Amino acid sequence: MRRLRSSTVVLGGMGVLAATITSCGSEPDRRCVDPLTREKLPSYECESGSGSGSSGTTARGSYYYGGSVSDNRVSGGSFDKKAVDTGGFGCSGSSGG
């Protein structure tokens, strides 16, 4: 019977631990969206003050977290990052609404 070296076992265990930690702290998907129409926009539309030399311009869009895109419109997520449950292995999600 073949024995595993202790370093192999340790490295394997560290990989599992790293996967658990990163999945709990993972960020939800973030998209730039028009808050009125919920139309998906290019990311630069959510960055205030950017553009071709025009200072003081405001952003057209807001970031939308989670959800999905269908026909260039978002649904199933939230503009509030804290309201989106990222889930993940070993994480305790918030319940309630």
Side-chain angles (χ1 to χ4, degrees):
M1 200 171 190
R2 186 175 170 219
R3 277 194 196 205
L4 294 176
R5 290 186 176 166
S6 61
S7 61
T8 304
V9 173
V10 170
L11 289 176
M14 292 300 286
V16 170
L17 178 62
T20 302
I21 291 170
T22 57
S23 65
C24 283
S26 64
E27 296 288 316
D29 289 339
R30 180 175 83 167
R31 299 173 177 90
C32 185
V33 172
D34 183 321
L36 298 175
T37 64
R38 294 200 178 211
E39 177 185 358
K40 186 173 181 257
L41 302 171
S43 62
Y44 64 83
E45 293 282 355
C46 284
E47 297 167 2
S48 180
S50 64
S52 55
S54 55
S55 61
T57 59
T58 57
R60 174 181 164 203
S62 296
Y63 285 114
Y64 188 84
Y65 300 93
S68 60
V69 179
S70 178
D71 295 329
N72 208 36
R73 302 240 188 269
V74 295
S75 64
S78 175
F79 286 102
D80 181 10
K81 182 179 180 181
K82 294 177 183 176
V84 179
D85 182 20
T86 58
F89 177 75
C91 298
S92 59
S94 60
S95 60

